[in-house]
Amino acid sequence: MSAYYEFKLPTKILSGDGALEHIPHELETLGAHRPLLLSDRGLEQVGTVKIVQAALGQGGMPAAETFCEIPPDSSIDTVNQIAALYRQRACDSLIAVGGGSVIDTAKGVGMVLAQAGSDLLDAAGCEVLPRGEHVPFVAVPTTAGTGSEATLVAVVANPAVQVKMEFLSYHLLPDVAVLDPRMTLTLPPRITASTGFDALVHAIEAATCLQRNPVSDSFAERAIRQIVLNLPLAVTDGKDKAARMAMANGSLLAGAAFSNSMVGLVHAIGHALGGVCHVAHGDAMTILLPAVMTYNLDKCRDRYAELLLHVAGPEVYAATPAHQRAQKTIDTLVDLRRQLAELTGLPTTLSQTGKVRQEDFAAVARTALNDGAIIVNPADADFDEIIHILEEVWA
């Protein structure tokens, strides 16, 4: 655990039934009246965007413009296009309704606007941005996975070099995060499982990385327990509001934890798989977690043993001999993954994704070595060791 740490979560959290209807008031307190509503085509088609538009209208603050063309892997070009639209329509705030791609796109737009620029690449760098002009920003997550509504991280693809670029700055945090059960009730079981496992990986890596601290541990441990208890129910009964809200809050807790401690090798390799092979982020997390935990086991044995309490509950923890608890934690997570795979078809190997070739491994490993998350992984990893992990999870 880091001897010195910093923890910041300035985002105001609105959580529960009717949370959406509070957005106009929150924007008004931020001095905004012409929001640009951002989402994707799928959420528009299933009616999720309409629910938010109705809440804005009810509060007397309809969106000045709505943009629903954000792709699953958003890019620099999309960010720059939206920033230009924001200025053309004289908007004064952003509302992002969606998963990680939509929220991270909004963060990118906010960076461009705050720095009075026109190209996100001009803001490239780690924690170097000045505050710039404040752009009021409300995040409405529609998946319980990325935790992007509570993080200082934005991941935006640069297709020209096949890399997912990471931007880090406390200025990226939304002013308001809105967790409303209506936003995830229609999420299909397969996506519920993938994004939920992503949130679980956030919590586990936040609780074990080199920069973990007492506050991030508290958030991460609570997130682990909520997700493990509620993810299977959210998958099998998507209309269960209690399970959906528990997952939404668990995802936010995990996001706040890793935003203030970081992640690790699962994310370093996962980002590379996304950039090089276009593997969905949650699927990559699901596939990689047990193998990377096993790789880190010698460095994390005591911490994994402690996490068994949150992964499996007090009865299993008490019944497991102390020297077996670390491995039991990994085995319990493998069992959870197997359950989700049987319920939804969630991939557990790279070959099952249909997007990765073994000849891609070298490019993935090289990209992972340049990912910032690898720096705080408990165990060092070189090119050959990453190749070995990829071979382990191939089939």
Side-chain angles (χ1 to χ4, degrees):
M1 185 177 294
S2 177
Y4 170 83
Y5 73 92
E6 297 179 3
F7 192 100
K8 184 174 183 178
L9 182 58
T11 302
K12 183 174 182 178
I13 301 164
L14 312 180
S15 178
D17 279 315
L20 291 171
E21 280 69 24
H22 292 266
I23 294 175
H25 170 73
E26 296 299 329
L27 285 175
E28 188 171 3
T29 63
L30 292 167
H33 300 89
R34 290 180 55 80
L36 171 58
L37 176 60
L38 304 177
S39 193
D40 61 46
R41 188 59 66 194
L43 291 169
E44 183 183 43
Q45 290 173 348
V46 300
T48 302
V49 174
K50 283 186 177 180
I51 295 172
V52 179
Q53 288 173 326
L56 295 175
Q58 182 178 325
M61 193 180 293
E65 184 67 56
T66 299
F67 182 92
C68 293
E69 301 294 338
I70 297 175
D73 281 312
S74 191
S75 69
I76 291 169
D77 292 340
T78 303
V79 168
N80 295 340
Q81 178 187 357
I82 295 170
L85 176 65
Y86 181 100
R87 291 177 172 128
Q88 290 166 7
R89 296 290 293 143
C91 297
D92 60 11
S93 51
L94 296 168
I95 302 174
V97 179
S101 182
V102 173
I103 296 175
D104 283 2
T105 296
K107 289 178 177 179
V109 173
M111 275 190 279
V112 173
L113 296 170
Q115 305 306 316
S118 60
D119 189 344
L120 181 60
L121 279 176
D122 294 337
C126 180
E127 296 185 293
V128 298
L129 289 176
R131 174 68 180 184
E133 179 184 351
H134 177 226
V135 180
F137 174 27
V138 176
V140 186
T142 59
T143 66
T146 69
S148 187
E149 70 278 4
T151 74
L152 50 67
V153 183
V155 179
V156 181
N158 185 347
V161 292
Q162 288 190 312
V163 168
K164 287 193 171 183
M165 299 178 64
E166 291 179 304
F167 298 85
L168 284 80
S169 172
Y170 283 118
H171 304 318
L172 296 181
L173 282 156
D175 295 290
V176 182
V178 181
L179 310 182
D180 192 302
R182 289 171 288 178
M183 294 292 94
T184 57
L185 290 178
T186 60
L187 198 66
R190 169 72 173 73
I191 300 177
T192 299
S194 180
T195 56
F197 214 91
D198 182 20
L200 182 59
V201 174
H202 289 156
I204 290 170
E205 289 208 295
T208 55
C209 73
L210 296 179
Q211 289 186 177
R212 54 179 278 250
N213 61 72
V215 184
S216 64
D217 274 359
S218 298
F219 278 63
E221 289 167 4
R222 177 68 181 189
I224 291 169
R225 194 71 190 129
Q226 286 203 186
I227 293 167
V228 169
L229 287 174
N230 290 281
L231 181 53
L233 181 56
V235 167
T236 55
D237 183 6
K239 300 299 182 183
D240 188 309
K241 282 191 174 183
R244 290 294 195 184
M245 283 308 303
M247 285 300 301
N249 281 284
S251 176
L252 182 141
L253 287 167
F258 90 78
S259 184
N260 287 279
S261 66
M262 273 298 285
V263 276
L265 188 58
V266 181
H267 274 78
I269 301 175
H271 289 154
L273 284 167
V276 175
C277 305
H278 307 292
V279 176
H281 182 69
D283 291 356
M285 299 295 97
T286 304
I287 293 165
L288 290 165
L289 179 64
V292 173
M293 289 185 73
T294 300
Y295 178 80
N296 287 334
L297 183 57
D298 287 344
K299 296 287 187 179
C300 294
R301 192 173 299 276
D302 291 344
R303 184 59 175 146
Y304 285 171
E306 293 173 348
L307 291 182
L308 181 62
L309 177 64
H310 309 286
V311 168
E315 292 183 1
V316 172
Y317 179 87
T320 305
H323 69 280
Q324 296 178 10
R325 285 173 181 163
Q327 186 61 51
K328 182 68 172 178
T329 297
I330 299 174
D331 294 343
T332 303
L333 292 168
V334 170
D335 288 343
L336 174 63
R337 186 179 70 168
R338 183 183 304 113
Q339 179 186 2
L340 296 173
E342 291 172 353
L343 288 170
T344 69
L346 194 66
T348 58
T349 67
L350 290 178
S351 60
Q352 289 173 355
T353 68
K355 296 184 177 182
V356 184
R357 303 169 303 168
Q358 287 179 290
E359 50 263 43
D360 296 324
F361 285 2
V364 171
R366 285 193 297 269
T367 304
L369 286 171
N370 288 318
D371 191 284
I374 201 170
I375 298 171
V376 292
N377 191 68
D380 292 335
D382 61 22
F383 178 88
D384 290 336
E385 288 161 333
I386 294 174
I387 291 290
H388 181 67
I389 290 171
L390 291 169
E391 290 171 343
E392 278 193 340
V393 300
W394 169 248

